[in-house]
Amino acid sequence: MSENPQPTTNDLIDGIWRKQLIARLAAERAYLLLQYRGLSQETLTTIPAAAALTFKDVLLHVAAWDAFNTERLSLVRANRTNGRSAELQELNQTILDQRNAEMAAHFQTVPLEQALAASLKERASFLAALAQVSDEDLHRRITSPSGKRTRLRTWARWRFLHDMGHADELAAWRNNQSPEIVRQTGPKFVLRAIFTATRKEFVSLVDLI
């Protein structure tokens, strides 16, 4: 599956591009959660594995950005309905770094199970918001207050690319650990989340086929 599929007229009609997008979102989230297998709760919550982020922090990090993009999708859709221009927050590297730092300051106080629940909830909310966006709106250009042009499909792609990037970081960390570290008995709720994510990936692929 291409990382940047370009939609054709037929894709817009039959929704193939959207099905590819949903499948990729499911696949990259399953791959991300798969990196949590065989790790103890202590490992998941105390050891930095993705730069300064622990495995638990990554769950909260992706949850926060899913929530941010859910809000942006909803804002664009609402303004589309009333005929106004969406008041989108401009994003640059400085703002991204600032938001990440602000979020990280709150991560330490959140328990692992709550962090996992937040990641599942915010991804479900994002997918629900995405489902409310028509194919036409998904691919049309929108203009921010500064004049920068983008598409909602680009925001959606960022979600699976974001998951993929952090999954690769966690996989690289795992590859540098001894077998004793990555073959432990982890929390059951983490294992259930991995199975659920893998099932969703399979279902999305069946729907695509």
Side-chain angles (χ1 to χ4, degrees), residues 91-120:
L91 292 179
N92 55 42
Q93 193 58 51
T94 299
I95 293 176
L96 290 173
D97 291 342
Q98 180 181 352
R99 285 184 61 87
N100 284 332
E102 291 172 351
M103 290 186 294
H106 302 287
F107 288 170
Q108 293 184 353
T109 62
V110 181
L112 176 60
E113 189 166 9
Q114 185 177 332
L116 179 59
S119 71
L120 300 176

Side-chain angles (χ1 to χ4, degrees), residues 31-132:
Y31 177 60
L32 174 64
L33 291 180
L34 188 63
Q35 308 313 316
Y36 288 66
R37 70 193 186 281
L39 300 178
S40 70
Q41 180 148 334
E42 181 181 4
T43 298
L44 293 170
T45 56
T46 62
I47 299 178
L53 299 179
T54 66
F55 279 81
K56 183 198 74 172
D57 294 342
V58 169
L59 293 173
L60 293 167
H61 177 76
V62 297
W65 282 108
D66 273 353
F68 176 78
N69 280 275
T70 297
E71 182 180 357
R72 282 161 69 86
L73 285 179
S74 300
L75 180 61
V76 170
R77 184 167 176 267
N79 280 276
R80 172 74 161 169
T81 301
N82 61 31
R84 297 165 55 189
S85 298
E87 298 176 359
L88 301 175
Q89 178 183 354
E90 298 291 344
L91 292 179
N92 55 42
Q93 193 58 51
T94 299
I95 293 176
L96 290 173
D97 291 342
Q98 180 181 352
R99 285 184 61 87
N100 284 332
E102 291 172 351
M103 290 186 294
H106 302 287
F107 288 170
Q108 293 184 353
T109 62
V110 181
L112 176 60
E113 189 166 9
Q114 185 177 332
L116 179 59
S119 71
L120 300 176
K121 173 181 177 296
E122 297 302 345
R123 174 47 58 95
S125 296
F126 174 77
L127 292 175
L130 184 63
Q132 296 298 314

Side-chain angles (χ1 to χ4, degrees), residues 1 14-27 127 130-131 135 198-209:
M1 189 182 301
D14 60 19
I16 290 298
W17 196 93
R18 182 187 291 270
K19 290 181 180 180
Q20 291 176 330
L21 171 63
I22 297 301
R24 190 61 185 275
L25 285 164
L127 292 175
L130 184 63
D135 285 346
T198 303
R199 178 182 179 277
K200 288 181 178 179
E201 178 188 8
F202 176 76
V203 170
S204 70
L205 290 173
V206 169
D207 187 43
L208 180 61
I209 295 171

